[in-house]
Amino acid sequence: MVLSDVAALVKAWGGDVAKASAHLPTVTAGGVQSAPTGVIQDPAGTLFYSQSFSGAGAASGAIYDLFNNMSDEADHLVVPPKIANGSSIFNASTGAGGRVLHTFSPYLPAYVKTGPSDATDRSNALAAIANGYGTALLAFSDHYKALGNEGTLLNLVPISANYFAGPFGYVKPAWQGGMMDDPVKHLDPSYTFAALMLAISAALAKGAHIAPMTIYYFDRKVRADATQLAASLTS
């Protein structure tokens, strides 16, 4: 399901389209764990249900593998305390793992009754995703000064985008390709960018510090859609 006019939707919800679009992240290829500098957002799910780094996949699994296999144990991640769904918390690692910002990705099936065909369900899903990004932006604003140079950039990911998208995850015909090129079900970037614009608007209204941002998309065809959408919103 695609949100056809993101800017109009954001405006209808009371967001400041001009200010929010000026702060939208740059779409970047690859996995967020490869970000050479800055804060790394973890779209955590399994972590907060199990209170363990084991069993996580996709972006979260890659982040945990990277930091927890560093040679210096001080750089390893610390299991965070339980937080509410949609909340965000920085890792308590005293080393490199302190760059990681865990966002408890909303499990969209818990917010909907029917799915993306229902207008109320679409609104509930979008609100949940926007809240997740909003808590991440506020957590970053509260903590960035303590991070020094790492606090000058926020590297985001599409939250609630794969398994946690539930019925909102799908494969567009244009995303299908060769045998090794078919993406998993994925949340359409229109939800991600609408949610980001709403979160940015709300954070700015609260006086939060908004740093330069990137958003990492691993699959090239989903990334192409995200890049095109971001360009249309910032032009």
Side-chain angles (χ1 to χ4, degrees):
M1 183 70 184
V2 178
L3 299 176
S4 58
D5 192 335
V6 170
L9 176 60
V10 170
K11 184 177 180 180
W13 279 39
D16 190 320
V17 173
K19 289 183 179 179
S21 62
H23 290 282
L24 280 176
T26 301
V27 178
T28 305
V32 70
Q33 77 282 356
S34 65
T37 188
V39 169
I40 291 175
Q41 185 185 34
D42 165 30
T46 302
L47 172 62
F48 289 110
Y49 285 114
S50 68
Q51 290 289 282
S52 170
F53 294 116
S54 63
S60 292
I63 292 168
Y64 306 158
D65 285 346
L66 173 66
F67 286 95
N68 289 335
N69 284 297
M70 288 183 172
S71 57
D72 188 342
E73 289 190 5
D75 293 328
H76 292 190
L77 299 170
V78 176
V79 174
K82 289 186 177 181
I83 58 175
N85 196 260
S87 298
S88 297
I89 186 172
F90 272 91
N91 196 271
S93 169
T94 58
R99 295 172 60 197
V100 176
L101 173 60
H102 305 287
T103 297
F104 191 172
S105 292
Y107 182 58
L108 298 187
Y111 295 84
V112 303
K113 294 181 179 179
T114 303
S117 62
D118 182 84
T120 299
D121 283 358
R122 291 196 298 273
S123 294
N124 289 341
L126 179 58
I129 301 167
N131 177 65
Y133 281 122
T135 64
L137 293 177
L138 293 179
F140 179 90
S141 180
D142 288 342
H143 192 62
Y144 78 98
K145 290 181 180 178
L147 295 171
N149 289 337
E150 300 292 10
T152 60
L153 177 67
L154 175 55
N155 301 290
L156 299 170
V157 289
I159 62 172
S160 305
N162 297 116
Y163 173 76
F164 275 55
F168 286 84
Y170 75 118
V171 179
K172 283 185 182 180
W175 292 351
Q176 300 181 47
M179 184 170 57
M180 298 301 292
D181 198 33
D182 288 335
V184 297
K185 284 187 175 182
H186 204 284
L187 182 72
D188 189 82
S190 59
Y191 279 89
T192 299
F193 276 82
L196 277 168
M197 292 181 76
L198 291 169
I200 292 168
S201 293
L204 288 171
K206 293 179 180 179
H209 169 73
I210 306 294
M213 296 183 285
T214 67
I215 185 164
Y216 278 75
Y217 275 88
F218 189 78
D219 184 89
R220 69 178 182 87
K221 292 191 175 182
V222 183
R223 183 172 66 251
D225 277 9
T227 301
Q228 184 177 25
L229 177 58
S232 71
L233 292 168
T234 56
S235 60

